[in-house]
Amino acid sequence: MFSPRKLYELERERNALASRFADLQRQRAAELQLLDGLGEALLAIDADRRVVIANRRFIDLFGGMDHVGKRLTEVLRVADVLESFDRALGGEEVTCRFGVRSGVVERRIEMRAQPIASTTIAVVALFIDVSKIELLEQIRRNFISDFSHEVRTPLAGLRSAVETLEHNSDRLSPEDDKQLRRIMARQLRRLERLVDDLSELSRIESGDLTLDIRPVELRPILDDLVEDFAEQSVQHRVRFEVRGEGSAIADSNRLQQAFSNLIDNAIKYGGDDHRITIDIRDGEVRVSDEGEGIAPPEREKIFHRFYRIDKTIPGSGLGLAITKHLVLQQRGTIDVESKPGHGATFIVRLPRPAATPQRPSEASR
Ligand code: ADP
């Protein structure tokens, strides 16, 4: 039998142990919470390749639950990943990239595995979603190759004109001389336009644009634009028909810029001697031409920067990319409808003012 004093000491030790145990549990819970709060997925395994920690982000990314205690091969089945864990267990720091399907999207993941000198954890690995970074890397590569391609054509034209002038200046007729200078001026204008459009696009894309968003009447904006295009429309024998009216919450200058690109294209691709119709209804504007139209596979691509269906028609291929960004930044949408051979219709939909009075036809419905 224990003496009362001994019993008292044992009780005190038991309480101290219980309190220490509670402290440890609280500490572990806090650590797990910290790991769950981590933006990246984390998995830790022991020397027997059993899971010790799998944070919440890991479960979001790879599915399943209650991974702790499971074998690594039950949790992850990607051969490259398992091999990387093997190498990390051998004492190496390893990085590898792999794809994982999450719902309908394929994500690109970078895994960084690191050996840990501890009794419970042998390897800890972070899984970082690099899909966005890879996409941006791809966009950057495409951009550089597209841009060099676009610049090369006017530069080649300029170089050949300059060389002809340089080597044959005393043998050229005044007409040839004039023509060469015209070519040079045209190619220079092409380069200038490319650079101007590009810097405008980059300004818009970077969000470096202050918008003056307020309720605007759409009809006056489009009427003014049609007037601005008077000279071009005479030159191409284009007739404008503007119908309807409507209002939107938008920046009128930026809207003007967006519609100006659409009208410019309608004149350019609508062919000579044709009609351009502009239909306004509520917050929607439809710009239609009677040109060749746009085949279904091209309809999305024409909004990509530098994309041109017919490369022989001069243009920077940036107008629609600029227009789309302008419309999106004003919380609108842009679509194109077309029956190839029968023209194209560009449809811009914009947010409408909350207190837009109903049109009489609507009110009576
Ligand atoms: P650009 O006109 O300078 O080439 P855009 O970005 O404005 O550049 O247009 C991209 C491409 O989309 C054009 O090169 C053309 O092939 C096609 N496109 C644009 N508008 C029309 C239209 N109204 N009808 C037919 N094709 C069009």
Side-chain angles (χ1 to χ4, degrees), residues 54-102:
N55 73 349
R56 189 176 303 147
R57 180 86 184 99
F58 182 90
I59 292 165
D60 289 346
L61 205 54
F62 297 98
M65 52 200 301
D66 296 336
H67 290 311
V68 174
K70 281 189 187 158
R71 292 189 172 284
L72 178 63
T73 45
E74 290 175 67
V75 175
L76 286 168
R77 289 180 191 84
V78 182
D80 281 356
V81 173
L82 297 175
E83 194 207 308
S84 298
F85 269 103
D86 283 345
R87 283 170 48 203
L89 282 164
E92 258 183 81
E93 271 183 33
V94 196
T95 301
C96 78
R97 281 192 181 187
F98 61 99
V100 63
R101 194 157 268 291
S102 160

Side-chain angles (χ1 to χ4, degrees), residues 190 268-269 308 310-316:
R190 240 177 116 173
K268 194 154 116 189
Y269 302 105
R308 288 186 286 148
D310 182 353
K311 303 262 189 227
T312 60
I313 302 177
S316 68

Side-chain angles (χ1 to χ4, degrees), residues 193 197 261-262 264-270 289 291-294 301-304 306-310 313-323 343-344 346:
R193 166 139 189 229
D197 281 358
N261 282 339
L262 295 183
D264 193 30
N265 280 350
I267 296 176
K268 194 154 116 189
Y269 302 105
D289 61 59
E292 282 306 306
I294 301 157
K301 295 189 208 151
I302 53 170
F303 293 101
H304 296 174
F306 297 122
Y307 192 81
R308 288 186 286 148
I309 300 170
D310 182 353
I313 302 177
S316 68
L318 295 171
L320 284 179
I322 292 176
T323 300
F346 284 84

Side-chain angles (χ1 to χ4, degrees), residues 42-45 84-96 111-118 121-127:
L42 178 140
L43 186 79
I45 59 164
S84 298
F85 269 103
D86 283 345
R87 283 170 48 203
L89 282 164
E92 258 183 81
E93 271 183 33
V94 196
T95 301
C96 78
M111 182 186 86
R112 295 180 195 161
Q114 188 157 8
I116 299 278
S118 113
I121 295 175
V123 172
V124 64
L126 270 182
F127 297 81

Side-chain angles (χ1 to χ4, degrees), residues 25-53:
Q25 267 189 326
R26 265 198 300 275
Q27 192 181 333
R28 180 160 169 83
E31 279 166 7
L32 284 177
Q33 211 175 6
L34 195 80
L35 292 176
D36 278 344
L38 201 69
E40 310 298 350
L42 178 140
L43 186 79
I45 59 164
D46 63 14
D48 294 329
R49 293 183 170 74
R50 284 192 186 273
V51 175
V52 184
I53 302 169

